[in-house]
Amino acid sequence: MSAQPQEFTPEGPLPEKNLRAIRRALVVPQDRDGFDAGLDVVLAEVRASLDLGRLSEFIHTWWLIACDSIKDPQGRRDLYERSARVQEMADAGKPIPRGDKSWRQLLMERGVER
């Protein structure tokens, strides 16, 4: 199973596919924090294994997030706000409400095929 590429029309140019450009494109503090923490982990893994494949995967994943950040910065902020609310509910032992639509329905609406 592989994801099919989707047409991407950002408002600005896509970041280059390098660590500095990717980090610069991350507009949400939580994304930058996650990038920094993940980079520390992946660099330690690369040092231990001497395999750059994991670093390439990290760069690609964060490049996609950076593209999303450029395309929809408010959507990234909303994602973290919703996540924090759900975590608070879970921490309080409250039931977490389910959405009206399944992931499959949401992806189909966006034209993403499996």
Side-chain angles (χ1 to χ4, degrees):
M1 172 173 64
S2 65
Q4 300 298 313
Q6 297 298 306
E7 186 173 323
F8 183 71
T9 54
E11 293 184 19
L14 293 177
E16 292 180 34
K17 216 170 189 183
N18 66 61
L19 295 170
R20 187 180 312 274
I22 291 167
R23 189 176 191 288
R24 191 173 35 247
L26 300 172
V27 297
V28 180
Q30 295 94 325
D31 281 340
R32 285 190 302 273
D33 293 346
F35 177 88
D36 293 342
L39 182 58
D40 289 342
V41 170
V42 80
L43 289 177
E45 290 175 6
V46 168
R47 271 188 230 100
S49 69
L50 300 177
D51 179 5
L52 291 176
R54 181 68 180 96
L55 180 59
S56 294
E57 180 183 311
F58 177 86
I59 290 170
H60 180 70
T61 298
W62 278 98
W63 180 77
L64 292 172
I65 293 168
C67 291
D68 189 45
S69 187
I70 289 169
K71 180 181 177 185
D72 187 11
Q74 187 57 49
R76 298 292 303 166
R77 290 181 192 96
D78 293 346
L79 171 120
Y80 285 108
E81 288 175 18
R82 285 190 307 270
S83 176
R85 283 195 305 269
V86 167
Q87 187 62 53
E88 288 172 7
M89 293 174 74
D91 291 345
K94 296 179 181 176
I96 298 170
R98 299 187 62 105
D100 295 339
K101 298 178 182 179
S102 70
W103 281 109
R104 182 179 302 267
Q105 289 169 315
L106 292 171
L107 291 173
M108 285 174 44
E109 287 175 7
R110 291 185 173 102
V112 177
E113 296 179 23
R114 290 180 64 209

